[in-house]
Amino acid sequence: PDYMKGWNLICDVSRREFQKIYDRLDVTIKERGESFYQDRMNAVVEDLKKQNMLEEDEGRKVMFAPGCDIPLTVVKSDGGYTYDTSDMAALRQRISEENADWIVYLTDAGQSTHFNSVFNCAKRAGYYSPEKVRIDHVGFGVVLGEDKKKFKTRSGDTVRLVELLDEGLKRSLDKLKEKERDKVLSAEELKAAMESVAYGCIKYSDLSHNRNHEYVFSFDKMLEDKGNTAVYMLYAYTRIRSIARTAKVSDEELAKIRKEKGVKVSLEHEKELKLGKLLLRLPEIITRITEDLLLHTLCEFMYEVANTFTEFYEHCYCVEKNSSGDIVKVNYDRLLLCEATANVLAACFNILGLKPVQKM
């Protein structure tokens, strides 16, 4: 029918525009629109009827379960379905067809009661067993503008993500030019740095706050190069990576020296030991965030690593130069500690979805 053709055309236009955003943010997604679950919703309703789990309530068919105060409305009085129906069908499909062993639902915190009902009803229906599948609802608080009101444009409209990203690019380029990085970076390097800072700032600003709390969104604050910001973290990483370049030592050469000459990470100075012990906490931090799904803990760890590295770098010479600026000694054992620090930060960036660059 013509209306189905029209609907598919609209979906294609939406997909193309969505994909542009996904590409910019390095997001991969497997599309599961609500229409995908239509037949599966029919199957869920029939299954719940067979199990005698639906109750009549003023023309609606609802479902109760232990542990939830509000029932699911599985079928409306006019015979239509609701989000309750589609969420039940989606959960069942993800476990029975996709063989999921861990499902994470990411929505605003206001949806917690709804998902509590869905999970408990799915458990009652036999679609989900907590002993076999882990399910988490990851709620988040409201994003506020600098006026402490819900984040909106000056005209009062909801801020579109594409506009937010474009504004981020503009401001990050201004920041790089302010530091005269456009005079030392190639056009390609400048573009990479601009995108790294812009998209990194927006992601890091969101993830570095406790997701359960409200937070104030401010471009000015997130573009500061001091404090626990993406700019500070990205600059710190780039600076660490540049130390070996200054010593004219490539990653391959450092690996070769470590292997052939048996050079080990130096931990003799108190600042070296402090940094080394901190880096070893990464597995503990990762374990913690997989349990509570609070990524601001990882951001705080990264910030502590960057500050502890600065202490180490100020007290322990990695590359020694004479009064003329010529390199007279390279402390490879300390370069290995620099490499370990950069690798830990790179792993953290990867988890957070940030893309650091070698030059900034």
Side-chain angles (χ1 to χ4, degrees):
D2 288 343
Y3 67 83
M4 287 296 289
K5 288 180 182 176
W7 175 73
N8 278 312
L9 285 170
I10 292 168
C11 288
D12 288 340
V13 171
S14 295
R15 279 189 196 98
R16 285 197 295 272
E17 292 305 309
F18 293 153
Q19 193 57 50
K20 291 176 185 176
I21 300 290
Y22 299 148
D23 291 343
R24 290 172 73 170
L25 294 177
D26 198 29
V27 169
T28 54
I29 193 166
K30 183 180 284 188
E31 184 183 295
R32 287 285 186 268
E34 197 166 345
S35 59
F36 173 82
Y37 298 105
Q38 185 61 44
D39 292 339
R40 292 167 176 82
M41 285 192 276
N42 295 335
V44 162
V45 172
E46 287 305 310
D47 181 64
L48 295 177
K49 283 179 182 176
K50 283 180 186 176
Q51 295 193 63
N52 294 316
M53 291 187 177
L54 298 182
E55 300 177 26
E56 288 284 341
D57 179 48
E58 297 180 356
R60 302 179 303 155
K61 287 184 173 60
V62 301
M63 179 178 179
F64 289 87
C68 57
D69 301 322
I70 301 173
L72 295 185
T73 298
V74 180
V75 182
K76 296 190 293 183
S77 56
D78 62 3
Y81 297 152
T82 68
Y83 283 126
D84 296 350
T85 327
S86 58
D87 281 335
M88 280 284 278
L91 191 151
R92 186 190 195 195
Q93 185 271 340
R94 287 161 187 160
I95 294 173
S96 64
E97 297 179 40
E98 307 273 359
N99 297 316
D101 51 23
W102 186 5
I103 305 172
V104 179
Y105 288 80
L106 180 67
T107 72
D108 67 281
Q111 298 285 326
S112 60
T113 301
H114 163 72
F115 281 110
N116 180 57
S117 296
V118 170
F119 300 157
N120 280 294
C121 285
K123 190 160 55 174
R124 183 187 168 207
Y127 301 159
Y128 148 62
S129 169
E131 290 75 31
K132 296 177 181 177
V133 180
R134 174 179 172 182
I135 296 182
D136 289 293
H137 174 235
V138 175
F140 54 83
V142 178
V143 181
L144 305 176
E146 293 186 73
D147 58 359
K148 303 292 175 70
K149 294 178 181 177
K150 200 167 182 179
F151 188 44
K152 292 183 180 294
T153 62
R154 286 181 182 175
S155 60
D157 298 324
T158 301
V159 179
R160 295 172 65 221
L161 181 55
V162 66
E163 293 166 357
L164 192 69
L165 298 179
D166 289 343
E167 180 70 12
L169 286 175
K170 177 182 173 297
R171 291 187 181 229
S172 65
L173 181 60
D174 291 343
K175 188 80 175 179
L176 289 163
K177 284 183 175 179
E178 181 187 310
K179 292 182 171 292
E180 299 188 335
R181 304 311 296 161
D182 55 319
K183 295 180 180 178
V184 294
L185 299 175
S186 68
E188 191 176 331
E189 289 170 341
L190 183 65
K191 181 176 182 293
M194 175 181 71
E195 291 178 352
S196 175
V197 170
Y199 303 152
C201 280
I202 292 169
K203 289 181 181 181
Y204 195 85
S205 176
D206 205 44
L207 298 172
S208 61
H209 293 87
N210 185 322
R211 60 175 169 76
N212 293 312
H213 301 159
E214 296 177 341
Y215 79 90
V216 175
F217 183 94
S218 166
F219 266 121
D220 291 334
K221 287 184 179 177
M222 70 171 66
L223 285 167
E224 286 178 357
D225 52 13
K226 293 181 178 66
N228 190 7
T229 66
V231 176
Y232 176 75
M233 296 308 310
L234 290 165
Y235 275 136
Y237 175 83
T238 305
R239 186 183 61 168
I240 295 168
R241 285 293 190 201
S242 71
I243 294 169
R245 279 204 307 273
T246 301
K248 297 180 173 57
V249 179
S250 67
D251 292 344
E252 293 76 16
E253 288 171 323
L254 190 59
K256 188 178 179 181
I257 290 168
R258 179 178 60 191
K259 188 176 180 180
E260 295 181 359
K261 297 187 177 180
V263 178
K264 295 182 180 178
V265 172
S266 176
L267 296 172
E268 293 178 8
H269 192 282
E270 63 171 334
K271 299 299 181 184
E272 295 172 334
L273 184 60
K274 182 181 178 182
L275 178 58
K277 287 167 75 173
L278 179 60
L279 296 179
L280 290 173
R281 286 188 56 211
L282 178 62
E284 168 205 329
I285 299 295
I286 291 175
T287 299
R288 189 192 307 175
I289 64 174
T290 56
E291 290 170 355
D292 60 23
L293 302 180
L294 293 169
L295 288 171
H296 71 279
T297 306
L298 183 64
C299 298
E300 290 168 357
F301 169 72
M302 292 171 68
Y303 184 53
E304 188 178 354
V305 167
N307 286 333
T308 305
F309 180 84
T310 299
E311 288 179 27
F312 152 74
Y313 192 65
E314 286 173 350
H315 290 86
C316 306
Y317 290 114
C318 299
V319 181
E320 298 180 32
K321 298 180 180 180
N322 59 23
S323 56
S324 304
D326 299 320
I327 296 172
V328 294
K329 185 183 179 185
V330 175
N331 294 310
Y332 293 105
D333 50 357
R334 287 176 175 167
L335 278 188
L336 286 174
L337 189 52
C338 293
E339 182 190 39
T341 306
N343 288 342
V344 164
L345 288 177
C348 295
F349 283 134
N350 185 51
I351 292 169
L352 297 174
L354 273 68
K355 278 189 171 180
V357 288
Q358 295 293 328
K359 293 183 179 181
M360 185 177 288

